[in-house]
Amino acid sequence: MVYLDNAATTNKKPFCVKKEVFLSTLKKNSANPNRSGYKISSNLANKILTVRQNLVDYFNCENLENCIFTSGCTESLNLAILSSFQNGGHVITTSYEHNSVLRPLFKLKNEGKIKLSIINPNKNGEIEIEKIKNSIKTNTYMLACTFTSNVTGYTNKIKKLGKLCKKHNLLFLVDCAQSSGHEKIDMQNLNIDFLALAGHKGFYSLTGIGALLVSNVGKKYLKPIKFGGTGTKSDSPIQPIDFPDGFESGTCNTTGILSLGAGVKFVKKNQEKINNKIYNLTKYLVEKLKEIDEIKIYPYNNFNSGVISFNIKNYSSNDVGNFLNEKFNICVRTGLHCAPLVHKFYNTIDIGMIRVSLSYFNKKRDINKLIYALKKFTNQV
């Protein structure tokens, strides 16, 4: 099998992640942290605290308590958007956004709680800072955007956007699902208030684990949207709002958190090597795709993401994907990638896009096999 769908979830995991998953299921490590004072529970609580600290350090978040563990990037984005909304306010977002951003925003819009502006890219696929600046109104309170598009691999000018938000006192929400592990992201330097991440992509963790990292400014606007046991203030039926406990109701995903911690350590130790390899593989992929006349590649600007999308003439992406899977056992993503507005912009709602997303564990021979298979498809049609 040639697996080229790492933007959905990484298929191959580093040994350190697999080891942590194995150890977390052993009897001496299997308990409920933060709920009891016995040794196993306390040890696990300390391990989770270490993962939290490593994430805070990696992203230069302001305080340990500002890191909230979630079930994934979707929950992180929902928490940031739905709990911080300002009634009658205005939010700016872009056509590149995943439904994890669009759907909670459209829920608020359709309920009449917010106004929403959506910025389209220009012909080069770029989100222009000036367009966002011109969309700011007196009641604008948030800019919500992706760091790197999960569809095309386009990366926004996050530093400039962060400066714009700071100048106009806007909350800055950044979807880092496709950039975490690929980019070294400094929250304070980039003026990010809400950073949403998924563990199972660039950090090679298990699925079902993510985090929302919050600035000290962002903390003032955040309220719990999930209610239940927190292990703190158990004498009260009222949900606590302490960070992070008040936002992590229920038994935590211990195995997922520990796998994320191992993934963060792996990436931190090998960041330059990972980026160099993915950059070179992506560059090689683009060069090879350009050899096939029938292929149209959609705008991108960041080889570090490992994400490239394309189509073959006007053929359905699903038809191509099925051919690659059935004839060559190659796994790529096809369809709309849960980001409908960018497909409307590129007129691919009907045919979708073929997305290749590379991992540190891919090799040149994977790309060569893909190119061979694509040439076979174009020759037969």
Side-chain angles (χ1 to χ4, degrees):
M1 178 183 74
V2 174
Y3 187 85
L4 299 171
D5 193 21
N6 294 282
T9 191
T10 46
N11 177 258
K12 188 171 181 180
K13 312 293 184 184
F15 174 77
C16 61
V17 170
K18 291 185 279 190
K19 179 183 176 183
E20 198 61 65
V21 171
F22 172 73
L23 291 175
S24 71
T25 60
L26 296 179
K27 185 168 72 170
K28 67 177 182 178
N29 290 324
S30 185
N32 198 330
N34 299 317
R35 295 296 191 271
S36 299
Y38 53 80
K39 190 174 181 180
I40 304 176
S41 178
S42 298
N43 287 344
L44 280 175
N46 288 332
K47 286 186 175 183
I48 288 170
L49 188 66
T50 299
V51 176
R52 204 186 301 272
Q53 185 65 63
N54 287 341
L55 277 169
V56 166
D57 292 343
Y58 183 84
F59 289 103
N60 193 23
C61 188
E62 289 163 294
N63 291 304
L64 179 64
E65 64 184 21
N66 293 20
C67 174
I68 301 166
F69 289 118
T70 66
S71 63
C73 204
T74 296
E75 184 184 343
S76 297
L77 291 164
N78 273 256
L79 173 58
I81 292 168
L82 295 177
S83 79
S84 69
F85 87 90
Q86 298 177 19
N87 205 19
H90 172 244
V91 176
I92 302 170
T93 191
T94 82
S95 296
Y96 277 118
E97 305 315 310
H98 191 277
N99 276 335
S100 299
V101 171
L102 294 178
R103 286 178 174 173
L105 286 176
F106 269 84
K107 169 184 164 60
L108 295 173
K109 175 180 179 289
N110 293 338
E111 290 174 350
K113 294 177 179 176
I114 66 167
K115 300 291 184 182
L116 184 63
S117 294
I118 298 170
I119 308 300
N120 284 324
N122 62 23
K123 63 181 181 180
N124 298 318
E126 300 170 342
I127 298 295
E128 297 174 3
I129 307 292
E130 201 64 24
K131 282 185 180 179
I132 291 178
K133 184 179 177 181
N134 292 338
S135 298
I136 297 174
K137 307 176 188 299
T138 55
N139 62 337
T140 305
Y141 69 89
M142 176 183 282
L143 169 62
C145 74
T146 186
F147 196 114
T148 295
S149 167
N150 73 305
V151 179
T152 67
Y154 172 78
T155 295
N156 274 305
K157 298 178 178 70
I158 296 298
K159 189 171 182 64
K160 289 184 178 180
L161 292 174
K163 285 182 178 179
L164 182 69
C165 288
K166 186 173 184 178
K167 180 180 179 181
H168 293 273
N169 295 314
L170 307 182
L171 293 170
F172 191 25
L173 166 61
V174 183
D175 175 0
C176 293
Q178 296 303 331
S179 52
S180 297
H182 296 277
E183 302 286 340
K184 189 66 177 76
I185 303 170
D186 185 319
M187 285 185 67
Q188 295 187 58
N189 181 254
L190 298 175
N191 296 304
I192 296 173
D193 293 300
F194 302 117
L195 186 153
L197 66 92
H200 62 106
K201 302 174 191 278
F203 284 134
Y204 304 96
S205 80
L206 297 181
T207 54
I209 184 64
L212 179 67
L213 280 75
V214 186
S215 72
N216 286 338
V217 172
K219 278 176 71 174
K220 299 174 185 177
Y221 297 89
L222 216 59
K223 301 174 289 293
I225 60 172
K226 185 170 67 171
F227 304 88
T230 61
T232 57
K233 301 183 180 178
S234 296
D235 59 328
S236 173
I238 306 300
Q239 181 75 11
I241 58 173
D242 309 66
F243 280 77
D245 299 342
F247 298 84
E248 294 180 349
S249 290
T251 301
C252 69
N253 179 1
T254 304
T255 303
I257 292 172
L258 296 181
S259 75
L260 173 58
V264 171
K265 281 185 182 178
F266 173 79
V267 169
K268 188 175 181 179
K269 182 180 178 181
N270 299 286
Q271 185 94 60
E272 187 174 351
K273 192 161 46 168
I274 291 169
N275 284 353
N276 287 341
K277 185 172 183 184
I278 292 177
Y279 180 95
N280 289 327
L281 284 176
T282 310
K283 188 170 182 290
Y284 181 70
L285 168 65
V286 170
E287 290 169 357
K288 289 297 180 181
L289 287 173
K290 286 180 177 178
E291 292 178 359
I292 305 174
D293 292 337
E294 294 87 349
I295 283 181
K296 176 182 179 180
I297 303 174
Y298 294 95
Y300 59 90
N301 66 347
N302 183 6
F303 285 161
N304 279 350
S305 72
V307 174
I308 296 293
S309 286
F310 60 93
N311 272 318
I312 297 179
K313 290 184 176 177
N314 292 316
Y315 287 94
S316 165
S317 62
N318 290 327
D319 289 345
V320 180
N322 290 338
F323 174 85
L324 294 174
N325 179 44
E326 292 167 8
K327 301 294 184 182
F328 293 92
N329 199 18
I330 297 174
C331 306
V332 297
R333 178 70 184 269
T334 60
L336 302 184
H337 316 294
C338 301
L341 298 187
V342 71
H343 287 281
K344 286 182 180 178
F345 179 78
Y346 285 116
N347 296 314
T348 57
I349 280 287
D350 294 332
I351 63 173
M353 291 183 191
I354 305 156
R355 184 185 72 189
V356 174
S357 49
L358 301 167
S359 154
Y360 174 68
F361 295 104
N362 282 119
K363 295 178 169 58
K364 266 191 177 182
R365 66 171 177 261
D366 298 331
I367 295 171
N368 290 336
K369 187 171 183 180
L370 170 70
I371 297 302
Y372 177 81
L374 290 172
K375 287 179 178 178
K376 283 288 185 182
F377 181 88
T378 58
N379 288 339
Q380 78 169 26
V381 297

